[in-house]
Amino acid sequence: TAGITQAPTSQILAAGRSMTLRCTQDMRHNAMYWYRQDLGLGLRLIHYSNTAGTTGKGEVPDGYSVSRANTDDFPLTLASAVPSQTSVYFCASSVGSNTEAFFGQGTRLTVV
Amino acid sequence: LAKTTQPISMDSYEGQEVNITCSHNNIATNDYITWYQQFPSQGPRFIIQGYKTKVTNEVASLFIPADRKSSTLSLPRVSLSDTAVYYCLGRLTGGYNKLIFGAGTRLAVHP
């Protein structure tokens, strides 16, 4: 079972460019999440989705957008990247809010 | 659960029991208490979850007092491979799935 798959694994992006981080899960989980983790720090919630067709803002949503067109996919888009968005991005999914969340392997993004 | 507070770091030695406490003063009635473990360059991994009293699995125990304003993760007889960051989860106010991580406790296990 693949679980959660993120792509790409890493990326160097020029400031001002746009980019979409992909996240796909094959567990048919209702809830999905995007977190960022800066070097040496904890995870911060960017956006989340309770179910297909709905999304919500987390702790640090500015500069990011998400969509949830179907159950499996939850892409994260940076419309115009800035160096402060350099981070490791983790996607996760869970059946519901009170259940175990499964994380992807992360995408390491460097904005220069 | 709202925001959570836990110690920044802890040190231990192989074979010892480690207890990490998390404070969650604003816990909601229907919130569970969940802990995750994270190794370097990996995503977090679920360890244990509970609602009240004590929960035990093959990895850890979770102690929750009656008022549920705190919880203690207990790792029995730690080994070097338990060196990791341990997170107590919270939830942003008003958000069904706004699961947020605390700052985490960096546990270092020494030989």
Side-chain angles (χ1 to χ4, degrees), chain B residues 63-101:
Chain B
F63 298 91
I64 305 167
D67 65 7
R68 300 194 341 115
K69 293 185 182 300
S70 66
S71 61
T72 299
L73 175 73
S74 180
L75 305 173
R77 301 183 59 79
V78 293
S79 64
L80 296 177
S81 63
D82 291 316
T83 294
V85 180
Y86 293 83
Y87 294 97
C88 171
L89 250 64
R91 190 196 312 276
L92 287 177
T93 302
Y96 176 67
N97 268 326
K98 286 185 175 181
L99 297 178
I100 59 173
F101 282 72

Side-chain angles (χ1 to χ4, degrees), chain A residues 29 93-96 98-102, chain B residues 34 36 45-47 49:
Chain A
H29 285 170
S93 73
S94 66
V95 172
N98 279 330
T99 60
E100 176 181 357
F102 295 83
Chain B
T34 311
Y36 282 75
R45 182 177 72 103
F46 173 89
I47 299 177
Q49 182 181 71

Side-chain angles (χ1 to χ4, degrees), chain A residues 31 33 35 37 40-43 45 48 50 57-59 90 96-101 103-104 108, chain B residues 3 30-32 36 38 41-44 46 49 87 91-92 95-101 103 106:
Chain A
Y33 318 84
Y35 293 89
Q37 186 171 36
L41 300 179
L43 290 88
L45 180 65
Y48 68 98
N50 289 332
K57 295 181 179 180
E59 299 173 276
F90 288 102
S97 65
N98 279 330
T99 60
E100 176 181 357
F103 283 78
R108 185 175 299 274
Chain B
K3 296 298 181 112
N30 60 346
D31 271 347
Y32 280 73
Y36 282 75
Q38 186 181 28
S41 300
Q42 295 185 24
F46 173 89
Q49 182 181 71
Y87 294 97
R91 190 196 312 276
L92 287 177
Y96 176 67
N97 268 326
K98 286 185 175 181
L99 297 178
I100 59 173
F101 282 72
R106 191 172 300 274

